[in-house]
Amino acid sequence: MVPIVPTFLYTTEYEGARSSASPAVPEPSPAAPGAPPPFSSVLSSFDNTTVPFLEQENTRVGLLFASKALVQLLVNPWVGVLTNRIGYHIPMFLGFTIMFLSTIMFAFSGTYTLLLTARALQGVGSSFSSVAGLGLLASVYPDDAERGSAMGIALGGLALGVLIGAPFGSIMYEFVGKASPFLVLAFLALLDGGPAEGTHSPQPTSAPLQSTKATPVSTLLRDPYILVAAGALCFSNMGVAMLEPTLPIWMLQTMCSPQWQLGMAFLPASISYLIGTNLFGILANRMGRWLCSMIGMVVVGISLLCVPLATNIYGLIGPNAGLGFAIGMVDSSMMPIMGYLVDLRHTSAYGTVYAIADVAFCTGFAVGPSTGGAIARALGFPWLMVMVGVLNVAYAPLCWLLRSPPATEEKMAILSQECAMKPKSYSTKEAQRESPLTEESDGEEENME
């Protein structure tokens, strides 16, 4: 989507409008060998109509990208309640099915309206898949350290999709056609949905869902610690969300970049995010997830401030790599913290809390592209990066509040009961371990007698 949409809209709307308005204009002479492709040469001319069109596209492309997150934001709470009632497997399968349909729509959509509809449908499918998937991981891995490692691997899978998606889309679009990358993705979604349905069997993790009443969404939203964690997810991902629609257009305006570079520019961020999520899925628990997230948000802000300093695609490698690595630090820290906060302060049913986590994630990707495109059009791309970079640095100290969150009074009572029971069980085990020695000692005393 990221490298394809700006170029596709430019080709279908701007060049189509120009050709219909002035059919008598002679076609340009064929380019000499080694010259840039026609699309790049058109943009490099920077006539009085091309630049305003590209500035207008910041808003339109931003709204298109934001529509998925906006729909996902609205659907997530309902999916969270649904998973608490029926489990995780059926919603995951529904998510794959809807994603398959939306991807097919992308392949054959030829207008902005159809692309917007397909993008919104994609948000519905993502809501089912992400909320159910994160809730399933949290229930399968009750241990905090194991949960963090498992979620790091899962987020690494997300990074792998982003890693392959942008370069794959840009190359397939330029050399094969617009429909080709989406048809391949639809086939992969179909293959992935089959095993997801195959795993639909009674699981031990479904019992707590039926016996434990989940904490209401309104109660979780009043928890300040959950709100701090959700804010970290929102603001850190908002930076890359603002980059997705605006960076390709900025590259076209300032670097005259060819089509393949628009997707390759995000490759360093994807690779470093893949490394960061897998690495800090383990390390964050040791160094403190609050500290890992705080450092990550500071690095996110610094990386965003450095993006406008680049004059070519090679200058984007460092800032984008730092951005992806830092977001990986925040995501791999905050996602397990959300489950830990529910275990510590509420009822251990995870569908609702991960619906909130995904809402925070989607808020960044809804507000980011929509407002980012408008800000880039009004103030310019560099000022957009300054604003979101400073926002991340300013929010980072709030992560300190997650250093040692207190348990609620009810949870304290439950934990104190569990702690009171543990010594009994340990003493029983110790008694069992000591019983052979006692028998031996009794036997030795009888022999001595």
Side-chain angles (χ1 to χ4, degrees), residues 185-220:
L185 291 180
F187 177 73
L188 293 177
L190 191 62
L191 290 180
D192 203 15
E197 174 64 15
T199 59
H200 179 53
S201 58
Q203 299 288 338
T205 57
S206 61
L209 296 174
Q210 299 173 357
S211 60
T212 305
K213 184 178 180 181
T215 305
V217 178
S218 58
T219 303
L220 296 180

Side-chain angles (χ1 to χ4, degrees), residues 91-183:
M92 284 185 67
F93 178 72
L94 289 175
F96 283 120
T97 303
I98 298 172
M99 291 286 286
F100 170 78
L101 297 175
S102 66
T103 308
I104 292 294
M105 282 192 66
F106 275 122
F108 300 104
S109 297
T111 64
Y112 181 84
T113 302
L114 290 177
L115 288 173
L116 190 65
T117 304
R119 183 69 170 170
L121 186 62
Q122 187 183 28
V124 178
S126 296
S127 179
F128 279 92
S129 300
S130 57
V131 173
L134 290 171
L136 180 63
L137 284 177
S139 62
V140 170
Y141 296 96
D143 181 74
D144 187 52
E146 293 181 353
R147 180 184 294 168
S149 178
M151 289 190 174
I153 296 173
L155 293 172
L158 172 66
L160 185 62
V162 178
L163 171 66
I164 299 173
F168 172 75
S170 60
I171 292 173
M172 290 287 286
Y173 176 70
E174 183 164 359
F175 297 105
V176 182
K178 168 184 168 289
S180 58
F182 297 109
L183 292 177

Side-chain angles (χ1 to χ4, degrees), residues 71 92 99 121 242 266 287 408 419 423:
V71 171
M92 284 185 67
M99 291 286 286
L121 186 62
M242 288 184 173
F266 292 91
M287 65 182 291
T408 59
C419 292

Side-chain angles (χ1 to χ4, degrees), residues 67 77 160 223 225 234 244 265 301 349 356 393 419:
S67 61
L160 185 62
D223 190 320
Y225 299 95
C234 176
E244 285 186 349
I356 295 175
V393 174
C419 292

Side-chain angles (χ1 to χ4, degrees), residues 141-382:
Y141 296 96
D143 181 74
D144 187 52
E146 293 181 353
R147 180 184 294 168
S149 178
M151 289 190 174
I153 296 173
L155 293 172
L158 172 66
L160 185 62
V162 178
L163 171 66
I164 299 173
F168 172 75
S170 60
I171 292 173
M172 290 287 286
Y173 176 70
E174 183 164 359
F175 297 105
V176 182
K178 168 184 168 289
S180 58
F182 297 109
L183 292 177
V184 173
L185 291 180
F187 177 73
L188 293 177
L190 191 62
L191 290 180
D192 203 15
E197 174 64 15
T199 59
H200 179 53
S201 58
Q203 299 288 338
T205 57
S206 61
L209 296 174
Q210 299 173 357
S211 60
T212 305
K213 184 178 180 181
T215 305
V217 178
S218 58
T219 303
L220 296 180
L221 289 175
R222 290 194 299 267
D223 190 320
Y225 299 95
I226 290 179
L227 292 179
V228 169
L233 287 170
C234 176
F235 293 127
S236 60
N237 284 279
M238 188 180 293
V240 72
M242 288 184 173
L243 276 181
E244 285 186 349
T246 57
L247 181 60
I249 295 175
W250 183 71
M251 292 173 65
L252 293 173
Q253 290 176 322
T254 61
M255 303 178 188
C256 302
S257 301
Q259 168 65 30
W260 65 271
Q261 287 189 2
L262 304 183
M264 294 299 291
F266 292 91
L267 187 61
S270 303
I271 294 176
S272 59
Y273 183 85
L274 177 62
I275 297 172
T277 51
N278 284 276
L279 181 63
F280 287 96
I282 300 174
L283 293 182
N285 188 46
R286 299 179 181 178
M287 65 182 291
R289 292 198 174 105
W290 67 274
L291 179 61
C292 183
S293 180
M294 184 169 66
I295 295 174
M297 293 197 72
V298 173
V299 177
V300 166
I302 296 174
S303 300
L304 290 171
L305 292 174
C306 294
V307 169
L309 302 179
T311 57
N312 52 49
I313 189 174
Y314 303 105
L316 292 172
I317 294 176
N320 281 355
L323 179 64
F325 191 79
I327 295 176
M329 294 176 66
V330 178
D331 287 356
S332 60
S333 302
M334 289 297 104
M335 286 298 185
I337 278 183
M338 297 293 272
Y340 172 74
L341 289 173
V342 167
D343 289 336
L344 184 66
R345 299 173 55 81
H346 303 281
T347 305
S348 297
Y350 304 102
T352 308
V353 75
Y354 281 111
I356 295 175
D358 206 44
V359 164
F361 185 85
C362 294
T363 300
F365 276 87
V367 175
S370 56
T371 61
I375 294 173
R377 182 181 179 183
L379 302 178
F381 178 79

